[in-house]
Amino acid sequence: MGCALSRYARLSLWHETTDTDWTPRAALPGDTKADVAIVGAGYTGLWTALYLAAADPGLRIVVVDAEVAGYGASGRNGGWCSALFPASTATLAGLAGRDAALAQHQAMRASVDEVIDAAAREGIDADIAKGGTIDLARSEAQWARAQAAVADARTWDCGEDELALLDRKATESLVRARGALGATYTPDCAVVHPAKLVRGLADAVEQRGVTIHELTRVRSIEPHTLHTDRGTVRADVVVRATEGYTSSLAGHRRTLAPVHSLVVATAALRAEQWDEIGLRRRETFTDHRHLIVYGQRTADDRLVFGGRGAPYRYGSRILTDFSGQASVFEHLRAAVVDLFPSMHDVKITHRWGGALGIARDWCASVGLDRDTGLGWAGGYVGDGVSTANLAGRTLTDLILARETALTGLPWVGHRSRQWEPEPLRWTGVNLGLRAAAAADAEERLTRRPSVVARALNRVVH
C-alpha cells in the first residue's frame, strides 16, 4: 500500500498537498450489474454520479477507473474553473443558431458558480476563490487581439460586466507584468485546488451510495456493457467519461486526440513579492499569445503556471513520465520570469503534466443514445473544470429522460468527426502546435500580428 500511496502523491503539487489517503479503493471483484455504469473517476464521471444519486437515490451506480479517482486531468490541471468553452460562440451559432449559442455561454457562466456552490453543499474545501481572469496584452499585436475580443463580445450581448477592456493603469491595479499595455478582464473564473475537489467529490458520491472501483481498466464499451480486466459490468446506461484517456478504449483511438499540457509550481513567495506582483484576489492570468499559457496564485502563495507545447505522441500515446520534457518545463520557467522579472531566482518545486482531449472540430459534446444506452461527455480542450460539471448535470437529465434547458443546449448530441488515421493525425496536430509557437515568435520579433496565425486557424480547425 505504501508504494501505491507515494506513487499517486508524487504526480503533482496538487496530489502531494491533499489530505486524502491515496491508497486505491477495491477493484471490481468480478461480473456485476448496475443501473448506470460510468467509466472514469474524474470530474465528469463523479459529477454525473453525484447529481444522479441526489436525483434518484435508488439507482445502482458504479464508477470504474484504471487508476484512482483524480489520477488524470481532474487532479493535474492548472486550477482554473472558467466559463470558457472550446468552440466559439460563432461556431455554436452556426450549429444551432444565435439564441442557442448564447444559452450555452450563459450555462457555462452559471457552471462556475455551481461548482463553487456544490462544493460548499458537499463540505468540500478546495481552496476556491472567484477572482476572475486577467488576459494580458504585452505587445501591439496582442493589444489588437484584446480589442478585437471585446468588440466581438459586444456583438454577442456581452457587456462590460462580462468582459472589460483594461488600460495599462487598470491592469497594473490587478497585476504588474512586464510590458503589459493593457488586458481584458472577466469575472467568470475561480481558482481551485483540483485534487482536493476531485477527491472530495469521490467521497461525496460514496456517501450517497455510489460504488467506486479503482485499479479496474476498461478495455472496451459496448451497448449496456463494460468489459474490464476484472470482469464485465452490465448496465442500462454506460457513460464514457474518459476525456484525454479515451484513445485507450478499443474503437476510440480517433475519437479524441490526447494533447499534453505541462505545469510548474514555485515555492511559496514572500509577502513583499506578492505585493509587487498583485493578484490579491487570486485572479487567474494569461496573455493573448497563440500558444496557450495559464497561471494562478495558490492558497498557500505559490505561483502555478502551465502551458501547451509538448508534442502530440504518435498513435495517440499518453505520457505517464514527463522527465523527458525538460525543455518545455524550462520554457515555462522562462515565461514566468519574463512576466515577472523579480522571480528570476524563485525555486521551481514541482513539475508535472497530463493529457487533455481534443475533438476534431474542437467542440466539446455530451449525449446519450437511448437505443444503445451509451452516454458520453468530453473534448474539453483543457477547459473541463466547469464544463464537466455542466456535463454531469446534463447527463443526469438525459439519463432520467427529463427535458430541460440543459438538454436543449447546442453541444448536446453533437457528433464530431473522427480524427484522421496516422500519420496524418500526428502531422496535423503537431503542425498546429508548431504554428502557434511560430506565430508567437514572429510577433515577438516584428511586434505586429502574425501572418502565420492565419494558417494556424486553418490547421487546428
Side-chain angles (χ1 to χ4, degrees):
M1 288 296 185
C3 291
L5 176 65
S6 61
R7 177 168 79 91
Y8 293 119
R10 289 198 305 267
L11 288 173
S12 73
L13 166 71
W14 310 126
H15 289 81
E16 184 179 303
T17 54
T18 60
D19 295 328
T20 189
D21 181 355
W22 287 101
T23 302
R25 294 170 171 85
L28 184 72
D31 295 351
T32 191
K33 293 182 179 180
D35 296 309
V36 179
I38 300 171
V39 188
Y43 289 145
T44 301
L46 294 175
W47 282 124
T48 303
L50 182 72
Y51 289 111
L52 268 175
D56 187 347
L59 285 175
R60 296 169 299 167
I61 304 170
V62 172
V63 181
V64 297
D65 196 282
E67 297 284 353
V68 297
Y71 169 84
S74 295
R76 306 180 192 219
N77 63 77
W80 286 38
C81 178
S82 78
L84 294 170
F85 189 80
S88 69
T89 308
T91 296
L92 293 173
L95 293 173
R98 180 182 176 89
D99 289 345
L102 293 176
Q104 182 82 44
H105 173 67
Q106 292 303 323
M108 288 300 305
R109 296 187 72 205
S111 294
V112 176
D113 290 327
E114 174 58 19
V115 169
I116 297 170
D117 294 343
R121 290 195 303 269
E122 299 300 326
I124 302 170
D125 182 1
D127 298 340
I128 299 175
K130 189 181 180 186
T133 297
I134 305 160
D135 198 339
L136 296 160
R138 302 177 61 230
S139 68
E140 291 296 339
Q142 291 188 12
W143 179 238
R145 282 198 291 280
Q147 293 173 296
V150 172
D152 180 68
R154 299 293 182 263
T155 70
W156 298 103
D157 303 330
C158 295
E160 187 85 1
D161 60 327
E162 289 188 47
L163 187 67
L165 185 67
L166 307 182
D167 61 18
R168 190 194 306 266
K169 183 177 179 180
T171 300
E172 289 178 349
S173 72
L174 299 177
V175 61
R176 285 171 290 283
R178 179 163 63 181
L181 305 177
T184 57
Y185 173 79
T186 174
D188 295 321
C189 188
V191 287
V192 302
H193 186 302
K196 287 183 179 180
L197 178 59
V198 71
R199 296 299 286 188
L201 285 173
D203 292 340
V205 301
E206 286 187 315
Q207 291 167 11
R208 292 183 180 273
V210 174
T211 301
I212 301 175
H213 291 298
E214 298 177 332
L215 301 183
T216 302
R217 186 172 300 278
V218 175
R219 303 297 191 190
S220 63
I221 299 174
E222 296 178 0
H224 310 292
T225 307
L226 291 182
H227 296 287
T228 85
D229 58 356
R230 305 279 186 162
T232 299
V233 183
R234 302 194 185 279
D236 295 331
V237 173
V238 172
V239 176
R240 171 173 57 79
T242 46
E243 189 54 2
Y245 296 83
T246 299
S247 62
S248 64
L249 298 172
H252 286 279
R253 185 60 60 90
R254 294 165 56 193
T255 301
L256 296 175
V259 172
H260 297 89
S261 199
L262 273 57
V263 191
V264 297
T266 71
L269 304 187
R270 300 185 305 275
E272 57 268 28
Q273 289 177 292
W274 281 118
D275 288 342
E276 182 176 342
I277 293 169
L279 303 177
R280 288 184 298 275
R281 296 177 300 170
R282 296 182 59 206
E283 297 93 340
T284 57
F285 66 93
T286 181
D287 65 23
H288 281 273
R289 73 185 71 188
H290 298 285
L291 196 62
I292 293 172
V293 294
Y294 46 89
Q296 69 142 296
R297 176 180 181 174
T298 67
D300 60 353
D301 284 333
R302 298 171 183 264
L303 191 142
V304 167
F305 189 81
R308 312 288 159 79
Y312 163 81
R313 300 289 160 168
Y314 192 92
S316 294
R317 185 166 63 88
I318 298 167
L319 286 178
T320 56
D321 179 4
F322 293 89
S323 60
Q325 303 301 309
S327 62
V328 181
F329 287 127
E330 179 54 34
H331 179 78
L332 290 174
R333 181 190 176 283
V336 169
V337 174
D338 183 50
L339 282 162
F340 309 115
S342 64
M343 294 184 60
H344 68 277
D345 60 350
V346 170
K347 182 180 179 181
I348 300 296
T349 60
H350 297 77
R351 299 168 177 82
W352 72 93
L356 55 93
I358 302 179
R360 181 61 183 85
D361 60 359
W362 286 54
C363 186
S365 64
V366 60
L368 174 66
D369 185 323
R370 297 203 175 279
D371 292 335
T372 62
L374 297 177
W376 77 92
Y380 305 137
V381 195
D383 295 319
V385 178
S386 57
T387 317
N389 175 275
L390 179 59
R393 288 181 285 130
T394 304
L395 281 165
T396 294
D397 288 344
L398 291 171
I399 291 167
L400 298 180
R402 303 191 299 205
E403 291 188 15
T404 67
L406 297 186
T407 62
L409 292 174
W411 75 320
V412 178
H414 175 71
R415 300 275 190 174
S416 303
R417 69 184 187 272
Q418 295 277 294
W419 280 93
E420 291 80 1
E422 299 291 21
L424 295 177
R425 185 161 73 253
W426 180 87
T427 302
V429 176
N430 283 321
L431 185 58
L433 292 171
R434 290 169 185 163
D440 288 327
E442 179 188 351
E443 290 183 352
R444 283 194 296 271
L445 289 172
T446 68
R447 315 300 291 178
R448 295 191 300 271
S450 168
V451 295
V452 174
R454 292 195 291 272
L456 168 65
N457 287 326
R458 292 193 293 270
V459 169
V460 298
H461 296 298

